[in-house]
């Protein structure tokens, strides 16, 4: 039997004897017999490490991974360069085998790292305060909505936009239905790939608790965040900016600078592998007015009984374990280790390096977009400015395109028709700083090849 | 080693760690790509440190953090078991860590297969029909489960059901989740044996009840012997039963929530299935449901046909997604590896051993600490520091003194119904020597409480910082470094 | 410029100023100008991590690795199962970024680990003492010879055997020539694949300082160590047993039990990857009489000024930094981290697990040998007992066989003709516990296929 | 945390960590496979511990070990620079870590290519014709180099040359290696500037001289200004010049041993090229030679032709192998990665910065400690604790006190010609803040030596163990645990 139980059968017998029991069965008296399983679980037989490596190695090998395939897919999950030092530090088991730092004296390491993460999120977003993490970008959006419709407010509608990540919107709707608030979506301007501001304007009224937009939006396009700010605040609504690509903050104005009240989003791309979409890390930053309405853990600086600086989890009266049904959120376990990776990542590349990665993503995406849009049959779908993602209409269904690309060593783009039926044969490509010019050129010429094939057939 | 400055206080202007290759595409003017009004004016004031500074800083921070790998961590309700290193190795394979959630299904067959099989294993373990793997943690599972229950009632025209029953020993996430799902809470007291008081339950049952949330074994560490009655009563009242699986480490292969009568269950894979707690997360809190609730699950769900594995959309009745993509995938890989490692016998042995270890400790400490519910426990036991109070000693002082012995304190002040609670969960992965040492230390502390209470009140003595001023932290919140 | 130098140009200027210097050049005055390079080194331009991963990833991919190829090759380097916990612990940077533990108070971790390694080597070999490590198995053999011909003895000849690893013998000859002692090799009994004992006997005389045999020998075959013991000690020579496959010690009698004075060898297979043959770890165990003639570092237990147990490097008067030209060896840097991996490995599998791994290797090798020798054209080359390696004569040159096997996903065996011209078309296969029955069966049927092809052609 | 028992003292009979799958081939009786006389009678009494015990034990041991990643390590002559993590990542690739040295060359093209290119880089750096990568460390390089020199003389009928000249400041491995190669040693003194005394050298030069071993910069940290004269004189006497490359971190891109006149050179890649020291090893000590010595190198050497890379056998004159296979391959992968990372400018910047840091410290400590050779230093400087002696303080006391400040002491009592030597090598990878802190601490210690010598004599104060009884360890050697 494979087990991590150290005690041997003999030791367990000895322990049982000390309890006056003969067998484990004696300890299970309070579990009614007929509720017992009374058979072995129907699971595959145990497998040793050697067997697991074989079996799971094979399973892993069935997936096309980004070491062996060049990725041009983003759509909410972004491949960026991870310095070797990041996993080295994050894998220190004092971090990953610890619980939430409930006993601060023996958990200063994690507490300080959380405080650093909070600070970094403030620096990136230009806001005053940030929490220790939420589950992911989509639930961070939902938590922002919950804050907005919370008790102090009385307003019951959240306005968002079709230009926001479809998955984020789905989650928002799920939470809205349960909590009992309304969500309305502004239309998409299919010319620019940005939110139709007239539509947005028309949805605003005195029940609008918050407006949630995404910058860059799902199409990679840049919203007119200044005009939107005016629209939102004119109605005294909360201005919430969602960010799924944190690298955009290297070159784009931070939400705090253009009047956002909350900035929430997904920080996975900072030092974490794409890992089939999880674990990521939701971040939640706000103006300091919202400090007592924040969801999730907050690490704060304080002093100890010897006058030394130290860190603790603070403002816990917001939280479920103290406030219970009146808590600001139900979150308990969060995504601390992913936040730690983001912290180490940002400290590793630093001020210059982060800006550089951001600028290189921008440049390379534009280089790729310009070359792809010159291929016969491939056209830029939207006229708006963009960061590192762009939509292209193609001469064929995207599913077919992607399968062909996969055979040639590429992970293609996101098929926009999956979420926007009106955008047929339109693909969303992403190019980050990880792609070299040679790789982009190879991708462009692969697309050119397929363009010829399709041309020949039609 | 007694202070470590912030990363922001280290380094110097112009220093940096990792760098990128020079830009290899023709550079275009920033203004040509992004309107000036949307550009960042000044770079974020991120740290400027070299790699050696970075490494020393976070290595030092790690050394200032207690963990399972450095010592005994009997933190009740948290199941701080050993986190196998093979799980870490497997989840780091490029075929798992370096795949994109939106790449075509045909290029992710191994991933979908794994999740498909994991779902089957969890169904078998919990006695459920189907699971969604989306929830990122227990509390996330709770809100998801409550949404499912709500959608179910609505589908039957019983959307008016607006009450969730919660025992008085429930974890804080239970009522918080109920609020999130727009439910009112009815609290039901426990009886003298630590079971739910069935008469009290009856008193709150009516046709406004949407359901009940319970752990079993409950947070007192004991198995609720009335569970069948409770299930019958709640079902008769038209309610659904939600199982908070935080304590599932006690039941593997012994009994199943489904067989007890629960309709929805979440499992904390970061507890039961050894996903490392990560200093606070990420975890995984998948929920399973009985057949009648399957239509309401969030989608997509992993499926299989003659062409292979794929993501199947769920129907109209689904509550919708509760997060982007498919869950905390790498946490799920670890849980899958863990279950495959153990197999049926190994899984059962986990719970048997967890129960044995908990009873061994409980039995040995009874003479030194008050045991409010004196019955055989399951995987944890709840003591009280009540006897120590007469010496001016509280649960927190016992906790802080344990730190001096390189032992993480038990969970304290929870469950709320036990004053001065000390909730001790040793888990199955500890040796008898470790348990014996803990018992000896706890006896010593009980003795010290009488003879030398100051040594408790001033504890901990050997940590880089002493007791911290929580009140100050809350009164003048400093959550973000703004410069020296 | 890529650099790990933290100081910026501005900081370096400031430091120079504080020295009264204007540039680094001012600090280089003692290096004569015409000895200067006065140009940039002719090396490839610097490459960032991203580029290194690309370039070195490609280079690594050109090698057929043992994850993707099933290995049936040993011949001194053995693939064994490495539990995940071993690299996890050995990669803790407090271990690998430390120097030799010169300051014991701040290096107790490594010192204790060395003491544990020494103990484990004693337990495996059945001898009294062992050192902290030597470079590899071959140099451990050379050091054994150097001990034997050392000053106290006056004898000047080492007798070894053609059945010992050819590379070990080459190294022995190299050292012998430099130090000025003689090496003679007993003949091979080509029937059994073991040392010809008559030949060995005939080489013994009163100048024989030591006899060095290998168990199992290079062919995997088992020497008659008891008879050899009598031959050696009859002449009062040192009996040295070399071991390149430490897993043999799980089922074979330990050298200490059959009268060996020294047991030396290669410990790489214990918890370390095959890594193109290095780094390995030489081990050196001896009867306690030889304690002051041991080469290399020794960790010893002692007490501190508070009465606590602690560990130090001891008996340093044997070593080069104290005894200089009269040291027992010149070794300074050794293979500490590899020894640590061996320590963690042995502690991980433990008493039962090590025996199990050893027994499974034995069983699987015999299973493979029995099946391979039934294939037409394939014959067992030697009649001797063996542990986990065996020689097979094949119907074709081994070079061709191996290339064919490589194309079919196997790393074939060692071509014995490379070292023993008389053993044409003879291959040395190795099977360890890492090979499953299915894998062995697949290998056997691949050989059967080739046998048919060759049969068809001939 | 003050004691950690041995792994042998942990666990219990029957416990175990990692296990294998059950044997899947038909089991045969042991006696049928191995004669009874050759069988092990009782299993080796290895530890019996569970995985959690194992992990805690070695994690605790790691916490009891100072390292570059945890603090400043100015250990002279050891070049304790930062060990980049990318090197660790690259060397762990299965294409490097999981390849067999004896697999056919066509299946190891990447490995041979890398070693081929690394050899070229080292030739360029050292100004040599060819390198062998076999030696596992510096001392291994030394004996290899001396064998090459010996073979060279023998080839010219000058096998009678039996003397190796060694400066009085040489590292212990130099004379020890010379003995191993059956040479006699002639020691030559240093002059007042720390250079070799040329007159003294002349006095020992004759036709029995096989060669001379030198470091340059030497172990006093200064560049020997007479090197050209020395090279000329030794060559005129028919001797060969061996360069001990332990100090090569001072010369990268500045000057080359080959250009100084050396015939053989070893490089300690674990010093100069950031291969981690591993708590004592493994390192890599490849040696390079000038053209006339190439025929004597051990083989095989990496080579390239139209079919790709291959291992080329060397000729009859070769000294033969000095180890099995091709060297400490994974250490070589790290060194290769390191050189590729830096490129020409980066390599030069290493030495410039190492020299600057060393001089910065030297300059700042001159007033507090005696500096026997007061000249601009290269990458390290050698002080003496002579001034402290009048207070009863020795170099060792200064060293032990540094430990209290989480700083690894300098190398002490070496080189032998400096009494109470303190040999300080900061390396290029330390920040100015770290150097300034070290300087401040060293000043404080110099002050304490006068005012409060006991605090030095009793140091270290905060380590898990205090000063250890070396004499006892040597008098009653306990090298192996034999049971409780
Ligand atoms: C009984 C109980 N329920 C629910 C939870 C919440 O689980 P999670 O932290 O995974 O959200 C916990 C966590 O400690 C718990 O102990
Ligand atoms: C000057 C000098 N020479 C030679 C050596 C020996 O090198 P290694 O330890 O690599 O054998 C050293 C090591 O400290 C040294 O400092």
């Amino acid at each position: 039997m494979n087990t991590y139980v150290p005690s041997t059968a003999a030791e367990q017998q000895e322990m049982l004897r000390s309890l006056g029991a003969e067998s484990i069965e004696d300890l299970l008296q309070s579990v009614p017999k007929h509720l017992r399983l009374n058979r072995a679980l129907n699971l595959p037989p145990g497998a040793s490490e050697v067997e697991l490596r074989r079996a799971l190695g094979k399973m892993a090998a069935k997936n096309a991974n980004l070491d062996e395939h060049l990725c041009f897919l983003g759509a909410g999950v972004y491949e960026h360069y991870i310095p070797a030092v990041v996993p080295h530090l994050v894998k220190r088991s004092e971090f990953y085998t610890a619980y939430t730092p409930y006993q601060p004296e023996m958990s200063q390491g994690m507490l300080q790292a959380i405080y650093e993460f909070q600070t970094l999120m403030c620096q990136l977003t230009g806001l005053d305060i940030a929490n220790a993490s939420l589950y992911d970008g989509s639930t961070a959006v939902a938590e922002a909505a919950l804050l907005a419709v919370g008790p102090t407010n009385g307003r019951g509608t959240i306005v968002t936009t079709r230009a926001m990540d479809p998955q984020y919107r789905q989650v928002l709707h799920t939470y809205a239905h349960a909590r009992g608030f309304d969500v309305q979506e502004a239309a998409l301007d299919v010319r620019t790939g940005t939110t139709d501001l007239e539509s947005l304007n028309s949805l605003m009224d005195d029940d609008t608790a918050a407006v949630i937009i995404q910058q860059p939006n799902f199409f990679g396009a840049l919203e007119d965040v200044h005009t939107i700010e005016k629209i939102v605040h004119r109605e005294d609504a909360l201005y919430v900016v969602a960010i799924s690509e944190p690298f955009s903050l290297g070159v784009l104005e931070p939400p705090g600078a253009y009047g956002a009240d909350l900035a929430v989003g997904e920080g996975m791309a900072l030092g974490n592998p794409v890992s089939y979409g999880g674990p990521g890390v939701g971040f939640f930053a706000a103006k300091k007015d919202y400090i007592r309405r924040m969801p999730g853990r907050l690490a704060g600086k304080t002093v100890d009984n010897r006058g030394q600086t130290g860190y603790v989890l603070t403002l816990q009266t917001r939280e479920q374990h103290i406030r219970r049904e009146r808590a600001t959120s139900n979150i308990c376990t969060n995504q601390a280790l992913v936040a730690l990776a983001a912290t180490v990542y940002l400290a590793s590349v630093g001020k210059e390096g982060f800006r550089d990665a951001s600028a290189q993503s921008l440049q390379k995406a534009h280089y790729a977009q310009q070359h792809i849009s010159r291929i016969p049959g491939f056209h830029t779908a939207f006229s708006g400015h963009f960061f590192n993602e762009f939509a292209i209409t193609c001469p064929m269904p995207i599913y077919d395109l992607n399968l062909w690309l996969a055979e040639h060593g590429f992970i293609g783009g996101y098929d926009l028709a999956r979420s926007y039926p009106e955008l047929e044969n339109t693909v969303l490509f992403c190019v980050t700083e990880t792609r070299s010019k040679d790789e982009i050129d190879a991708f462009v010429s692969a697309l050119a090849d397929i363009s010829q094939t399709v041309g020949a057939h039609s | 080693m007694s202070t470590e400055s912030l990363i922001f206080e280290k380094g110097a202007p112009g220093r940096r760690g990792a760098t990128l290759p020079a830009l290899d595409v023709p550079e275009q003017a920033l203004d040509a790509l992004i309107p000036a009004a949307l550009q960042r004016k000044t770079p974020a004031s991120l740290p400027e440190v070299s790699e050696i500074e970075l490494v020393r800083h976070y290595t030092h921070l790690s050394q200032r953090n207690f963990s399972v790998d450095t010592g005994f961590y009997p933190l009740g309700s948290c199941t701080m078991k050993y986190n196998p290193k093979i799980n870490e190795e497997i989840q780091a394979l490029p075929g798992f860590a370096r795949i994109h959630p939106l790449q075509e299904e045909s290029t992710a067959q191994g991933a979908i297969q794994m999740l498909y099989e994991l779902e089957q294993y969890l169904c078998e373990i919990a006695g459920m029909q189907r699971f969604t793997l989306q929830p990122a943690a227990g509390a996330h599972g709770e809100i998801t489960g409550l949404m499912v229950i709500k959608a179910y009632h609505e589908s039957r025209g019983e959307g008016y059901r607006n009450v969730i029953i919660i025992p008085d020993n429930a974890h804080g996430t239970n009522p918080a989740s109920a609020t999130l799902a727009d439910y009112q809470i009815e609290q039901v007291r426990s009886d003298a044996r630590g079971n739910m008081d069935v008469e009290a339950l009856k008193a709150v049952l009516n046709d406004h009840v949407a359901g009940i949330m319970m752990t079993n074994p409950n947070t007192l560490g004991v198995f609720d012997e009335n569970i069948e009655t409770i299930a019958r009563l709640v079902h008769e009242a038209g309610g659904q039963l939600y199982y908070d699986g935080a304590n599932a480490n006690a039941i593997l292969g012994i009994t199943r929530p489904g067989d007890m009568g629960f309709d929805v269950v979440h499992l904390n894979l970061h507890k039961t299935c050894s996903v490392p707690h990560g200093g606070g997360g990420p975890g995984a809190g998948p929920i399973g449901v009985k057949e009648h609730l399957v239509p309401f699950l969030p989608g997509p769900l992993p499926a299989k046909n003659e062409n292979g594995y794929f993501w199947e959309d769920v129907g109209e009745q689904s509550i919708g997604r509760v997060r982007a993509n498919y869950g905390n995938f790498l946490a799920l890989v670890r849980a899958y590896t863990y279950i495959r490692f153990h197999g049926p016998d190994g899984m059962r042995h986990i719970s048997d051993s967890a129960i044995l270890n908990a009873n061994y400790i409980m039995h040995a400490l009874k003479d030194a600490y008050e045991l409010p519910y004196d019955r055989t426990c399951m995987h944890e036991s709840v003591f009280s520091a009540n006897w120590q109070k007469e010496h001016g000693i509280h649960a927190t002082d016992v906790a802080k003194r344990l730190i001096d012995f390189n032992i993480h304190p038990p969970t304290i002040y929870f469950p709320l119904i036990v004053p001065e609670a000390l909730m001790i969960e040793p888990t199955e992965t500890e040796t008898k020597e470790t348990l014996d040492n803990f018992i000896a230390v706890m006896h010593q502390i009980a003795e010290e409480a009488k003879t030398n209470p100051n040594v408790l009140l001033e504890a901990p003595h050997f940590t880089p910082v002493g007791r911290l001023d929580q009140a100050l932290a809350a009164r003048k919140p400093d959550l973000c470094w703004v410069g020296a």
Side-chain angles (χ1 to χ4, degrees), chain A, chain B:
Chain A
M1 182 180 58
N2 294 317
T3 184
Y4 294 104
V5 172
S7 312
T8 59
E11 289 175 305
Q12 294 205 334
Q13 272 310 319
E14 187 190 333
M15 289 166 74
L16 280 167
R17 262 197 308 279
S18 82
L19 299 174
E22 287 198 353
S23 68
I24 300 278
E25 181 54 38
D26 290 349
L27 305 178
L28 299 180
Q29 294 313 309
S30 52
V31 185
K33 280 260 162 50
H34 55 284
L35 293 187
R36 304 285 189 85
L37 185 58
N38 292 322
R39 60 165 174 85
L41 285 166
N42 179 16
L43 296 172
S48 67
E49 282 195 7
V50 174
E51 293 157 300
L52 289 172
R53 281 181 183 150
R54 250 181 231 138
L56 279 103
K58 273 190 196 130
M59 226 179 240
K62 284 193 209 155
N63 303 320
N65 73 57
L66 274 52
D67 282 347
E68 286 160 9
H69 287 67
L70 295 175
C71 180
F72 289 86
L73 175 58
V77 176
Y78 303 95
E79 183 198 10
H80 286 279
Y81 154 54
I82 303 175
V85 71
V86 177
H88 166 79
L89 289 168
V90 175
K91 281 179 186 165
R92 290 199 47 98
S93 62
E94 295 94 327
F95 288 131
Y96 78 71
T97 73
Y99 200 74
T100 301
Y102 285 158
Q103 294 290 343
E105 299 87 352
M106 67 201 318
S107 309
Q108 282 299 296
M110 202 67 200
L111 282 162
Q112 181 169 337
I114 295 171
Y115 181 87
E116 292 179 353
F117 173 73
Q118 293 172 178
T119 301
L120 289 164
M121 292 303 108
C122 292
Q123 293 175 341
L124 284 189
T125 59
L127 286 163
D128 306 320
I129 51 174
N131 78 2
S133 75
L134 297 171
Y135 302 135
D136 76 343
S138 74
T139 55
V141 165
E143 291 279 6
L146 290 165
L147 182 152
V149 301
T152 56
N153 186 300
R155 298 186 177 202
T157 305
I158 298 292
V159 174
T160 184
T161 154
R162 279 192 82 222
M164 186 160 81
D165 187 318
Q167 296 202 61
Y168 285 22
R169 281 182 287 135
Q170 287 169 27
V171 172
L172 182 59
H173 285 289
T174 304
Y175 275 76
H177 180 79
R179 187 76 183 89
F181 60 86
D182 225 39
V183 177
Q184 309 211 337
E185 298 185 354
L188 179 67
D189 178 339
V190 288
R191 212 177 28 84
T192 58
T194 59
T195 301
D196 180 330
L197 296 191
E198 266 179 44
S199 162
L200 178 71
N201 215 351
S202 73
L203 295 174
M204 303 292 299
D205 62 28
D206 61 6
D207 194 52
T208 308
V211 173
I212 311 183
I213 62 144
Q214 185 181 2
Q215 177 77 333
N217 69 23
F218 184 62
F219 307 104
L222 303 186
E223 299 283 0
D224 179 356
V225 288
H226 296 281
T227 306
I228 296 173
E229 189 270 339
K230 294 203 188 78
I231 298 173
V232 177
H233 284 154
R234 195 186 304 134
E235 284 290 355
D236 276 342
L238 280 192
Y239 187 14
V240 181
V241 178
I243 293 154
S244 70
E245 171 48 300
F247 281 76
S248 63
L249 293 171
V251 291
L252 295 187
E253 199 173 16
Y258 55 79
D261 299 292
L262 306 179
V264 299
E266 176 57 64
M268 185 178 185
L270 303 163
N272 295 279
V274 292
S275 58
Y276 211 49
V281 53
F283 65 84
F284 196 110
K287 287 192 180 150
K288 63 174 168 306
D289 315 350
Y290 303 101
I291 189 162
R292 283 169 206 274
R293 289 162 66 191
M294 295 279 283
R297 313 270 187 208
L298 294 169
K301 193 185 258 186
T302 188
V303 296
D304 76 351
N305 55 6
R306 308 169 208 159
Q308 304 178 112
T309 294
Y311 303 87
V312 292
L313 292 179
T314 190
L315 297 173
Q316 300 194 53
T317 50
R318 297 165 301 108
E319 288 188 68
Q320 46 74 25
H321 61 292
I322 308 281
R323 189 77 71 91
R324 300 179 72 86
E325 65 271 21
R326 277 179 305 280
T328 57
S329 164
N330 70 333
I331 193 168
C332 178
T333 291
N334 57 25
Q335 306 282 121
L337 201 70
V338 190
L340 177 67
T343 305
V344 176
Y345 169 79
L346 285 170
S348 165
V349 298
K351 187 172 175 176
E352 263 319 298
F354 184 64
R355 195 186 172 85
D356 189 27
S358 178
Q360 290 210 20
S361 294
L362 176 82
Q363 293 284 347
K364 292 188 169 188
H366 283 80
Y367 173 84
Q369 181 258 3
Q370 287 155 11
H371 284 76
I372 292 169
S373 59
R374 279 183 214 141
I375 304 169
F378 289 77
H379 309 284
T380 301
F382 303 123
S383 65
H385 293 284
F386 65 94
F387 173 56
N388 67 0
E389 282 183 285
F390 51 92
I392 296 279
T393 50
C394 304
M396 63 195 301
I398 306 309
Y399 179 76
D400 298 340
L401 175 74
N402 281 344
L403 288 193
W404 190 89
L405 285 169
E407 275 167 30
H408 292 76
F410 301 100
I411 304 285
Y414 180 75
D415 183 354
L416 284 168
R418 279 166 74 173
S419 313
Y420 301 87
E422 71 269 39
L423 298 178
E424 228 180 75
N425 290 3
T426 309
V427 67
L428 185 65
F429 285 134
C430 173
V431 184
T432 71
E433 84 285 359
T434 55
R435 288 287 77 77
S436 69
K437 178 172 178 299
D438 290 351
E439 292 170 350
I440 299 171
D441 291 347
F443 185 62
V444 172
S445 73
L447 292 177
D449 286 353
I450 203 173
S451 145
Q452 286 206 331
T453 326
V454 177
H457 283 263
S458 60
Chain B
M1 161 94 180
S2 69
T3 54
E4 182 72 25
S5 56
L6 291 164
I7 191 74
F8 310 102
E9 298 170 296
K10 300 192 168 168
R15 283 201 203 144
R16 58 191 292 186
T19 54
L20 283 176
L23 186 67
D24 58 356
V25 301
E27 185 163 2
Q28 304 181 50
L30 192 55
D31 285 344
L33 305 181
I34 298 183
L38 296 181
Q39 290 173 26
R40 186 161 198 134
K41 308 302 176 295
T42 50
S45 49
L46 303 178
E48 298 183 86
V49 298
S50 57
E51 192 161 306
I52 193 171
E53 290 169 274
L54 183 82
V55 164
R56 288 197 185 142
H57 180 70
Y58 290 103
T59 304
H60 288 166
L61 289 192
S62 77
Q63 291 175 328
R64 297 158 73 87
N65 221 55
F66 188 84
S67 64
V68 171
D69 276 10
T70 54
F72 185 39
Y73 216 131
L75 188 67
S77 208
C78 298
T79 315
M80 298 302 288
K81 61 172 70 179
Y82 173 65
N83 305 131
K85 302 312 168 196
I86 184 71
N87 300 359
E88 301 306 308
E89 181 184 307
I90 298 288
Q91 63 87 34
L93 292 173
F96 293 136
R98 304 247 310 130
I99 57 176
H100 194 290
L102 298 170
Q103 69 190 55
E104 298 298 336
E105 288 166 354
S106 59
T107 68
Q109 285 294 297
I112 311 176
Q113 178 188 349
M114 206 208 65
L115 298 177
Y116 178 88
E117 292 176 5
L118 177 61
E119 188 195 333
Q120 293 190 320
Y121 304 163
L122 299 182
C123 286
E124 166 68 4
I125 289 167
M128 292 285 147
Q129 185 67 24
R130 291 221 64 172
F131 262 77
T132 170
L133 305 171
Q134 283 182 27
H140 201 200
E142 292 173 22
I143 176 68
T144 306
L146 291 171
M147 289 169 176
V148 165
I149 289 171
K150 177 170 240 176
Y152 167 75
H153 288 310
E154 285 170 351
S155 78
R156 296 159 46 101
E158 298 182 4
Y160 54 80
R161 290 184 177 268
N162 65 345
V163 169
I164 290 288
I165 298 170
I166 284 177
D168 58 1
N169 57 33
H171 190 261
T173 51
N174 295 179
S177 299
T179 298
L180 254 190
D182 219 23
Y183 282 115
Q184 307 297 315
I185 277 96
E186 276 292 356
Q187 190 164 295
V188 173
R189 68 166 176 271
S190 306
D191 68 17
R193 279 185 65 73
N195 297 325
M196 178 172 280
D197 185 321
V198 174
E199 292 313 312
L201 172 65
K202 283 183 187 156
V204 299
L205 282 173
N206 60 37
D207 64 4
H208 273 77
V209 168
I212 187 171
M213 298 181 85
M214 288 181 73
T215 54
N216 199 15
N218 62 26
T219 65
L220 297 165
V222 299
F223 196 88
D224 195 315
E225 296 148 319
N226 303 327
I227 184 61
E228 279 183 287
T229 314
I230 295 167
R232 185 173 43 74
L233 291 170
V234 172
H235 278 147
E236 279 170 9
Q240 295 285 293
L241 279 88
Y242 184 95
Y243 183 89
D244 172 346
N247 295 342
N249 211 44
I251 60 159
L252 302 171
I254 297 174
T255 176
R256 311 191 302 175
D259 300 338
M260 297 179 212
F262 287 91
D263 304 290
V264 191
V265 50
H266 85 243
L267 294 175
N268 305 60
L269 300 183
H270 41 305
K271 300 180 180 182
T272 318
C273 286
S274 83
V275 175
H277 285 83
I287 66 160
V289 297
K290 289 268 175 71
E291 183 147 24
H292 63 287
L293 297 179
V294 171
F296 307 100
L297 281 180
L301 294 170
K304 184 182 175 179
N305 65 17
E306 61 287 1
N307 298 322
Y309 296 92
F310 64 102
W311 286 106
E312 189 161 44
D313 280 331
V314 289
E316 283 295 296
Q317 293 191 293
S318 163
I319 60 164
R321 283 192 165 278
V322 295
R323 62 159 286 156
N325 303 310
Y326 313 111
N328 280 343
F329 179 66
L330 297 183
L332 300 170
V333 174
R334 291 175 173 97
Y336 178 90
T337 308
Y338 186 76
I339 295 170
R340 287 285 305 263
F341 175 84
H342 283 92
D345 300 346
M347 292 299 277
R348 169 74 197 241
H349 190 54
I350 290 169
S351 290
D352 283 352
S353 306
I355 293 168
L356 175 58
N357 286 357
N359 277 286
Y360 184 74
I361 286 180
M362 185 184 80
H363 187 75
L365 292 183
K366 265 197 239 184
D367 57 343
Y369 296 88
E370 187 187 44
L371 182 63
Y373 302 88
D374 187 0
R375 11 179 314 211
T376 301
C377 68
M378 296 293 281
H379 67 304
E380 63 191 352
S381 64
V382 180
F383 282 90
S384 162
N386 251 342
W387 294 350
Q388 282 69 36
K389 249 169 129 173
E390 58 173 299
H391 311 288
I393 293 300
H394 294 87
T396 199
D397 304 312
V398 174
K400 298 302 178 195
R401 180 62 176 148
L402 274 166
I403 296 176
D404 285 344
F405 297 89
N406 199 42
I407 294 172
H408 195 285
T411 294
I412 51 178
Y413 302 112
F414 175 75
L416 304 179
I417 58 169
V418 175
E420 300 293 336
L422 293 163
M423 186 189 210
I424 304 170
E425 181 182 10
T427 86
E428 74 281 6
T429 61
E430 297 295 337
T431 63
K432 183 167 174 300
E433 299 90 286
T434 297
L435 307 182
D436 286 338
N437 177 56
F438 175 71
I439 290 163
V441 168
M442 284 294 281
H443 276 116
Q444 176 180 334
I445 292 175
E447 200 51 39
E448 287 173 346
K450 294 181 214 155
T451 58
N452 186 10
N454 272 342
V455 76
L456 274 65
L457 293 168
E458 288 157 10
H461 298 86
F462 313 119
T463 43
V465 297
R467 292 204 199 184
L468 289 148
D469 191 338
Q470 291 278 6
L472 174 71
R475 210 171 56 240
K476 297 192 179 174
D478 174 352
L479 311 180
C480 165
W481 186 82
V482 287

